Amino acid sequence: MTAQTDARSTTAERPGIAERIKIIDTDSHVMEPPDLWTGRLSAAKWGDQIPHVRRDEKHGVDRWWIGARRGSAVANFATANWREFPPSYPKLLEEADAAAWHPERRLERLDEYGIHAQLLYPNILGFSSVYFFDLDPDLRYECVVAYNDWLVDFCSPDPDRLIPLMWLPFWDTDLAVREMERCLAKGHRGIIFPSNFEPVGLPLIYDEHWNPVWEAAQANELSINFHTGFQITEEEARSAIGYRRSRADFAKMSAMFLMGNARTIADVTLYGVCHRFPRLNFVSVESGFGWMPYFAEMLDWQWLNSGARDAFTEMKLMPSEYIQRQVYGTFWFESDSVRRMGDMFQNNLMFETDFPHPTALQPGPASYADSPKVHIERSLEGIDEDILRKLLNTNAARVYHLG
């Protein structure tokens, strides 16, 4: 056998990426079941204020109600394998892919997609969090606790593969720290945190008001995860739950949402949060990453060109250096940009699928996407193996303390 033939044979026999690397999906979502809160909170105490589901008979849709607020359809975000392109979505949960809301079916889908483990984010509690501010603060707190406990139960069929992330009662830093400690003991591996608090009268993300949360998170080695679209504004909530006029509107809204975390990254790097908490990791979730090199370079230029470095001499690093040290991002559809970022940001980049959302890596009758296994093989093949392992496994394993 010639050397050339031997090389071809070795390449042909080499296992695929999903067989070589245990892929960690750092952003997916679970559909909250209709009885999540009604089954765990006291109806005698709270009545119809408890978030619950009602049938919209006119449109044949099961829809969330949070207090007096009409929220999204129960399956609004569960478009995996759906028969029509967005903004269409399943009207009933039972019409959706069961992997969106059933843990055993989710594990089967992970096997099919070549995913080893998956971090789990909410939908209604994240995209419609502004609506919860209409509720009594005690009820609001109970809703957060109930969700965190339910998520642990959801992950219980295989807690090594289904990974819970906690939502905190962020409006009260003492409660937030208490819930952080409680959830950590239950197996949660990170913190989901909004980043725009002005509409509800809370301080800016870089205000020292939040120091108790940052201190506790750093001490417990828990990352702060800023999921795009999880903002406390009426406009964000309405856009997220389906007020879309056309497919072009949906495409524009989705693209603009993905860029929404740029402000947050500027806030934590330029205003001293990363400087004050050097061991605290921040993750920009479902935002893509191709824009990050440009953004980091732009922040450096503006930092120097505005004289900010001379005005804030306690900040010893440049913005891009804080980003490289403490800020992580996620990618899914990107290919060429990931290859170009391999050198500078190989320690900051993590893979996601966004399952089962409309923009996710999921094949179906109305989807442009291949399965994650196929997409990864096609778009990342040829990347240095050590870098590939960082992007698909070890960066996430380090940030979320996954064995």
Side-chain angles (χ1 to χ4, degrees):
M1 180 181 295
T2 66
Q4 184 176 8
T5 303
D6 183 60
R8 285 199 302 267
S9 175
T10 301
T11 301
E13 295 172 0
R14 189 185 193 191
I17 293 174
E19 285 72 44
R20 304 197 309 267
I21 300 173
K22 289 184 175 181
I23 297 171
I24 299 173
D25 175 2
T26 56
D27 174 40
S28 72
H29 296 260
V30 286
M31 301 301 107
E32 297 92 340
D35 64 348
L36 191 160
W37 287 290
T38 55
R40 292 174 181 262
L41 303 183
S42 170
K45 181 178 180 182
W46 298 115
D48 286 344
Q49 290 298 300
I50 298 174
H52 61 280
V53 172
R54 300 180 198 168
R55 174 66 58 84
D56 179 345
E57 297 292 352
K58 180 179 179 180
H59 300 99
V61 176
D62 281 347
R63 191 174 298 281
W64 280 104
W65 285 82
I66 302 100
R69 296 262 204 169
R70 189 184 77 160
S72 65
V74 173
N76 187 92
F77 301 100
T79 57
N81 294 306
W82 184 235
R83 60 180 177 266
E84 298 177 11
F85 283 104
S88 174
Y89 57 83
K91 294 183 177 182
L92 307 174
L93 194 61
E94 50 265 33
E95 293 180 347
D97 186 337
W101 50 270
H102 192 289
E104 281 81 8
R105 302 293 83 76
R106 178 64 68 95
L107 290 167
E108 292 173 1
R109 191 68 73 242
L110 295 189
D111 291 339
E112 175 189 342
Y113 285 177
I115 303 296
H116 172 68
Q118 197 169 61
L119 280 71
L120 302 174
Y121 284 81
N123 287 286
I124 185 72
L125 193 61
F127 291 114
S128 299
S129 54
V130 62
Y131 293 173
F132 285 78
F133 271 76
D134 284 352
L135 303 180
D136 181 285
D138 290 339
L139 173 57
R140 196 191 313 153
Y141 172 65
E142 289 186 25
C143 287
V144 170
V145 172
Y147 169 79
N148 288 331
D149 287 347
W150 168 79
L151 188 57
V152 171
D153 292 343
F154 181 92
C155 296
S156 62
D158 194 338
D160 290 329
R161 300 187 68 191
L162 301 175
I163 312 299
L165 298 175
M166 68 186 79
W167 185 262
L168 296 182
F170 53 84
W171 57 90
D172 184 317
T173 56
D174 290 337
L175 283 180
V177 171
R178 186 190 311 169
E179 181 65 4
M180 185 191 308
E181 301 283 353
R182 193 188 73 87
C183 289
L184 179 62
K186 285 180 168 284
H188 286 257
R189 301 299 182 90
I191 297 164
I192 309 167
F193 215 70
S195 58
N196 181 17
F197 302 102
E198 294 173 84
V200 292
L202 292 174
L204 297 168
I205 193 72
Y206 50 82
D207 191 279
E208 292 185 0
H209 167 86
W210 303 108
N211 281 4
V213 176
W214 306 150
E215 289 168 358
Q218 179 172 260
N220 288 300
E221 299 183 352
L222 290 168
S223 59
I224 304 297
N225 297 270
F226 299 119
H227 192 290
T228 187
F230 283 17
Q231 307 294 330
I232 309 302
T233 69
E234 184 76 11
E235 181 182 356
E236 291 277 358
R238 287 177 61 85
S239 296
I241 66 175
Y243 292 86
R244 307 156 186 155
R245 295 181 297 277
S246 71
R247 290 176 182 172
D249 293 330
F250 177 82
K252 176 183 175 181
M253 180 271 293
S254 298
M256 297 311 296
F257 259 18
L258 302 188
M259 297 297 295
N261 279 355
R263 170 183 170 177
T264 306
I265 293 171
D267 284 346
V268 298
T269 54
L270 300 186
Y271 293 91
V273 181
C274 288
H275 172 73
R276 296 196 304 271
F277 301 94
R279 293 181 291 106
L280 185 57
N281 291 324
F282 298 95
V283 185
S284 177
V285 183
E286 199 180 318
S287 56
F289 204 80
W291 53 275
M292 186 66 74
Y294 158 76
F295 192 64
E297 191 169 7
M298 178 176 64
L299 290 179
D300 280 357
W301 172 253
Q302 300 299 344
W303 188 250
L304 295 172
N305 209 41
S306 66
R309 183 175 65 172
D310 297 330
F312 297 92
T313 55
E314 72 278 8
M315 303 271 284
K316 303 303 181 184
L317 302 179
M318 293 292 290
S320 64
E321 293 175 307
Y322 286 116
I323 289 173
Q324 286 183 292
R325 187 178 76 180
Q326 293 172 251
V327 177
Y328 294 77
T330 62
F331 73 97
W332 66 108
F333 59 89
E334 296 168 278
S335 176
D336 292 341
S337 59
V338 172
R339 294 174 181 276
R340 291 195 293 268
M341 291 183 290
D343 291 332
M344 183 176 182
F345 290 103
Q346 61 183 267
N347 297 316
N348 305 76
L349 195 53
M350 302 184 294
F351 175 74
E352 67 157 288
T353 66
D354 192 34
F355 182 90
H357 282 185
T359 189
L361 287 179
Q362 56 200 12
S367 172
Y368 178 76
D370 289 316
S371 76
K373 181 189 295 187
V374 173
H375 175 80
I376 287 171
E377 195 69 43
R378 185 185 67 245
S379 63
L380 301 184
E381 181 62 28
I383 292 179
D384 178 85
E385 189 77 3
D386 289 339
I387 295 177
L388 197 61
R389 289 185 180 278
K390 290 181 179 181
L391 305 186
L392 298 178
N393 178 278
T394 56
N395 288 345
R398 181 179 68 253
V399 170
Y400 299 104
H401 302 288
L402 306 177

